[in-house]
Amino acid sequence: MTITPKNVRSMLTLIGTAFAGRAAINRLIQARDDADRLELLDAALNIAVVLTGVLVIVRRLRRGEDA
C-alpha cells in the first residue's frame, strides 16, 4: 500500500474511531457496574457502530478508496 494523502486521512480516521471504541467500552463497563440496562444498551449499540465504522475504513484502505 502506497502512502497517499487519502490513505493518511483514512488512517487518522481509523485511529480516531479506535479511541471512540475505547470510550464506548469504558461506558459499557461502567453501565454494567451500575446495572443500568438503558446505558448498557446504549453502550453496546455504540460499540456496534464503532466496529462497523472500523470495518468500512479498513475496506476503503484495502481498496484504495477515498475516505
Side-chain angles (χ1 to χ4, degrees):
M1 173 171 68
T2 351
I3 297 178
T4 65
K6 291 178 184 180
N7 287 344
V8 170
R9 189 172 35 228
S10 292
M11 287 180 202
L12 290 174
T13 304
L14 182 63
I15 291 168
T17 305
F19 280 111
R22 182 174 176 224
I25 290 171
N26 287 340
R27 284 187 55 212
L28 181 74
I29 292 168
Q30 185 63 41
R32 190 174 50 189
D33 290 343
D34 294 343
D36 186 346
R37 286 184 165 178
L38 189 57
E39 281 289 330
L40 192 62
L41 177 63
D42 186 46
L45 291 174
N46 280 326
I47 290 171
V49 168
V50 168
L51 180 61
T52 304
V54 167
L55 293 174
V56 168
I57 293 168
V58 168
R59 183 180 68 188
R60 285 181 178 179
L61 283 170
R62 284 186 178 171
R63 290 183 180 175
E65 295 176 4
D66 188 14

